[in-house]
Amino acid sequence: RVPAFADQLGPSIRQLHSNDYRNPAQLLDGPVLVVGVSHSGADIALETSRTHRTYLSGKAHGQLPFAVIDTWRARLVLPLVAAVAAHLLTIRTPIGRRMAVEIRKGGGPLLRVRRDDLRRAGVEWSEARTAGVRDGKPVLADGTVLDVANVIWCTGFRQDYGWITIPDLVDDDGWPIQTRGVVPSVPGLYFLGVPFTYAFTSMLVAGAGRDADHVVARIADRLRATTGGRRPAAMAVGR
């Protein structure tokens, strides 16, 4: 997902999406504007700040109250945070359902890199979004025009389910209508990898396995139902 006005930026500005960014060696000499403040935006801004003057544009979706690094505090608190993310922040709870909307819309809270890390690194962060172009240069919503040589779009991805020719499959937010990966209106259709499929941890390794287990169990139930309760001769399941 890149805004339409990106084409109006001057031809001398190098543009990359976070999907294509690898390291600062890809950038031109001169300042960098990183657009979008979730995991990719914060990580990339911290890295580019070591070699380039770096601006960061956008509002973060909160952050953990402690650094996720190998410290005594992290080792003490992370198991509790993981339990909350896996069992409280789910589609079964009001707070989980509210968070699901935000996660699917704009990414998760800062984890590895937080505000203090960016401040100490000298990243010049404005919560004003990048709103357009003036004289070939990016302009923020507060009117600030940035004279930069590079723009890195950490603006996420646009989901596209148009290749699935089933009516009324997608909700107003662009994501498929499903419950824990099971599509209620289309028996036999399942999804994995949808953010917040069940819990905050669905987008992490720690939660992907649980989502897969649930979907595989429902597939097995359906197979047993269609074979009169007999286990199919060839049925391989796994993560």
Side-chain angles (χ1 to χ4, degrees):
R1 180 189 292 119
V2 173
F5 60 76
D7 291 340
Q8 301 171 28
L9 288 172
S12 63
I13 295 177
R14 175 163 294 175
Q15 299 186 56
L16 291 171
H17 189 273
S18 58
N19 185 62
D20 304 309
Y21 173 85
R22 297 295 178 268
N23 57 63
Q26 296 172 273
L27 304 178
L28 301 175
D29 291 338
V32 180
L33 169 62
V34 178
V35 181
V37 189
S38 191
H39 301 141
S40 295
D43 287 3
I44 291 173
L46 183 67
E47 183 173 70
T48 60
S49 69
R50 298 167 187 154
T51 55
H52 295 70
R53 182 176 182 178
T54 298
Y55 300 97
L56 181 61
S57 164
K59 185 174 292 187
H61 295 263
Q63 66 178 18
L64 284 187
F66 59 90
V68 185
I69 56 177
D70 188 20
T71 65
W72 68 268
R73 182 177 300 175
R75 289 194 296 270
L76 181 65
V77 180
L78 270 178
L80 175 60
V81 173
V84 169
H87 302 292
L88 176 61
L89 302 179
T90 75
I91 59 173
R92 296 184 183 276
T93 67
I95 187 174
R97 289 191 291 272
R98 288 195 298 271
M99 179 173 280
V101 174
E102 295 302 317
I103 293 293
R104 291 177 180 175
K105 181 173 63 176
L110 299 179
L111 299 175
R112 297 176 296 271
V113 177
R114 303 187 306 149
R115 288 180 177 273
D116 287 347
D117 300 316
L118 296 167
R119 178 181 54 79
R120 285 192 293 267
V123 175
E124 300 176 51
W125 181 0
S126 171
E127 292 195 343
R129 63 186 180 87
T130 300
V133 176
R134 185 180 303 164
D135 299 326
K137 300 174 183 178
V139 57
L140 306 186
D142 62 5
T144 302
V145 177
L146 297 176
D147 187 7
V148 297
N150 308 273
V151 174
I152 303 176
W153 300 105
C154 298
T155 43
F157 299 85
R158 177 179 54 83
Q159 59 269 29
D160 181 6
Y161 294 99
W163 57 277
I164 305 177
T165 56
I166 296 174
D168 302 321
L169 177 68
V170 177
D171 210 342
D172 293 339
D173 62 2
W175 293 103
I177 301 171
Q178 48 78 37
T179 302
R180 297 197 69 177
V182 179
V183 179
S185 62
V186 187
L189 180 61
Y190 309 88
F191 283 90
L192 284 173
V194 175
F196 231 103
T197 301
Y198 176 66
F200 178 85
T201 53
S202 290
M203 63 182 178
L204 306 173
V205 173
R210 178 171 62 179
D211 292 342
D213 284 344
H214 182 80
V215 168
V216 166
R218 301 293 77 74
I219 293 173
D221 290 344
R222 179 172 170 78
L223 287 173
R224 281 191 290 269
T226 58
T227 58
R230 300 187 305 276
R231 182 181 177 88
M235 178 179 168
V237 296
R239 292 183 182 180

